[in-house]
């Protein structure tokens, strides 16, 4: 599967990573719903860090449709709140 981090590019992830990423996504969603800046920043950093750790970057010239899109690391709590669906940022 392919994920885009806004402002960074696309990465290829194995589907097996979804369970771990969904746990981090749930923590991010809880922090956003609580409106707490510190936990939001921690959860955002953890989610993006795990995607970077588990993913393999796609070359810039190899643009493909993304399965899901994550906000940039410098996104605000309000910006991420606007992007959240009932499933969080990661479907599933």
């Amino acid at each position: 599967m392919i994920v885009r981090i806004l402002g960074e590019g696309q990465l290829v992830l194995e589907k097996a990573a979804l369970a771990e990423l969904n746990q981090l996504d749930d923590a991010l969603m809880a922090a956003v719903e609580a409106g707490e800046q510190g936990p939001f920043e921690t959860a955002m950093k953890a989610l993006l860090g795990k995607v970077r750790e588990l993913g393999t970057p796609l070359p810039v010239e190899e643009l493909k449709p993304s399965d899901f899109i994550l906000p940039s690391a410098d996104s605000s709590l309000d910006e991420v709140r606007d992007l959240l669906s009932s499933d969080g940022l990661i479907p599933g």
Side-chain angles (χ1 to χ4, degrees), residues 52-74:
R52 292 182 194 113
E53 175 188 326
L54 299 176
T56 302
L58 271 180
V60 174
E61 65 277 3
E62 194 175 329
L63 183 63
K64 294 187 175 186
S66 299
D67 294 291
F68 58 92
I69 299 172
L70 297 175
S72 64
D74 62 351

Side-chain angles (χ1 to χ4, degrees), residues 36-60:
E36 297 176 354
Q37 188 65 32
F40 161 73
E41 290 173 0
T42 299
M44 186 74 171
K45 184 176 179 178
L47 177 61
L48 295 179
K50 187 56 72 175
V51 169
R52 292 182 194 113
E53 175 188 326
L54 299 176
T56 302
L58 271 180
V60 174

Side-chain angles (χ1 to χ4, degrees), residues 9-86:
Q10 293 182 299
L11 299 103
V12 178
L13 288 168
E14 297 295 325
K15 286 189 178 184
L18 271 180
E20 186 173 5
L21 294 177
N22 273 318
Q23 288 179 342
L24 296 170
D25 189 36
D26 289 345
L28 177 63
M29 196 160 73
V32 169
E33 288 173 356
E36 297 176 354
Q37 188 65 32
F40 161 73
E41 290 173 0
T42 299
M44 186 74 171
K45 184 176 179 178
L47 177 61
L48 295 179
K50 187 56 72 175
V51 169
R52 292 182 194 113
E53 175 188 326
L54 299 176
T56 302
L58 271 180
V60 174
E61 65 277 3
E62 194 175 329
L63 183 63
K64 294 187 175 186
S66 299
D67 294 291
F68 58 92
I69 299 172
L70 297 175
S72 64
D74 62 351
S75 296
S76 71
L77 193 150
D78 288 335
E79 290 169 331
V80 173
R81 180 181 290 123
D82 290 343
L83 295 174
L84 284 172
S85 70
S86 60

